[in-house]
Structure formats: structure tokens, C-alpha cells
Amino acid sequence: MDDTNKDILRLLRDNGRMSFTEIGEKLGISRVAVMKRVKKLEEAGIIRGYKAVIYREDNVKMLMEIVTVDENYDDILEYLNRTGYVTEIYLMTGGNRIHATAVAPDVSELKYLAKMVNKVFADKIETMTCHGVKEIVKDLYGGVEYDKTGRRRNERNE
């Protein structure tokens, strides 16, 4: 991947609605060249989609760390994957670790999710820890970023 493609990805990451013309002007290349490069990045699976990032101040986020008894955890992954609250699931290094992120309008719903996971898979879970997110300091994919002074900024309103 060359520097121009990296620059295109950076610009789209910061503003997925940026037009090919705007990108071309910023990088000094034509709109058609940008369009061809973006199409190749999409076909290669590097650009996987575009989305609107919706911020809901009333949502609560919880991080779950599950350490399973053995590597037989497919049913836990399936359960988490079916749960509407879970937005991300990662298999971690360090042996039988699952990290999941869950989001809900109310903390009681997340507590219930944690209780059900612990109950349904009690025989398969060695340890499970859950932590509510107090504050998001940086989340480029969720549209949250801070400037050098520590003040929250919105990329579109700079």
C-alpha cells in the first residue's frame, strides 16, 4: 500500500462522507484517480463499509473479560454474538480469553447480561470481570477524539 492510499484511508476514516473531489483536492490528484483507488481498496476488503456514527449520551458501555476453563468456548462466542447488546468480540492471547464490549441504554441491562453469561456458562468460565466505561478518551471509529489540550473535539467542526 502506497502513501497515497494511506492518505485516502486517513481522510475517509476522519470523514467517511468526504467526496472524491475533496479528497483529490487535498492530495493533489484527480477525482477519477481517487475513485479508482477507493474502488480497489473496497475490492481488496481494506475498506469494509461506511457508516454513520450515532452518539447517544444515555448509552452505557461495559467491557467483559472472560477466561474460560479450556478452549471449548464456541458456545459462549455464539451466545455473545447473538446478544444485541454486544458490539465487539475478541479472542485474546494469553490462553482462553474472550473480550467483549456491550452497550445498552441502562446499566441494569448490562448487569443482567453479565449475570446470564455467568449463569449459563458457569461450568465453562474460570473467571469473568466486567467494568463499566467511565469516560471514552479516544475512539477514532466511534468519532471521539481529543485535541492536544485534552478538550473533546469533533473532526467536522475544527
Side-chain angles (χ1 to χ4, degrees), residues 10-61:
R10 179 184 46 78
L11 290 169
L12 287 174
R13 182 202 66 212
D14 293 345
N15 180 357
R17 295 184 67 178
M18 185 176 278
S19 72
F20 296 146
T21 302
E22 290 173 299
I23 294 170
E25 288 171 358
K26 287 190 177 286
L27 301 181
I29 60 176
S30 73
R31 174 189 61 82
V32 174
V34 172
M35 186 173 60
K36 286 180 181 178
R37 284 174 174 269
V38 168
K39 184 175 180 178
K40 284 183 181 180
L41 291 166
E42 290 170 343
E43 289 170 353
I46 295 168
I47 296 177
R48 297 183 179 180
Y50 303 87
K51 65 180 180 178
V53 177
I54 311 299
Y55 174 70
R56 292 198 45 194
E57 192 171 306
D58 56 337
N59 271 350
V60 181
K61 186 179 274 193

Side-chain angles (χ1 to χ4, degrees), residues 53-100:
V53 177
I54 311 299
Y55 174 70
R56 292 198 45 194
E57 192 171 306
D58 56 337
N59 271 350
V60 181
K61 186 179 274 193
M62 175 178 71
L63 305 178
M64 300 172 69
E65 183 78 17
I66 301 168
V67 179
T68 61
V69 174
D70 57 30
E71 291 186 13
N72 182 16
Y73 47 71
D74 289 341
D75 49 350
I76 298 173
L77 294 175
E78 183 181 328
Y79 184 89
L80 293 172
N81 199 36
R82 283 193 329 258
T83 303
Y85 297 123
V86 176
T87 59
E88 298 168 293
I89 304 171
Y90 300 96
L91 294 180
M92 308 300 288
T93 59
N96 308 331
R97 293 180 183 276
I98 300 169
H99 173 88

Side-chain angles (χ1 to χ4, degrees), residues 31 43-44 66 106 111 121 126 128 132 141 154 157:
R31 174 189 61 82
E43 289 170 353
I66 301 168
D106 188 77
K111 286 180 179 180
F121 302 105
E126 185 176 311
M128 183 171 95
Y141 301 113
N154 180 336
N157 295 330

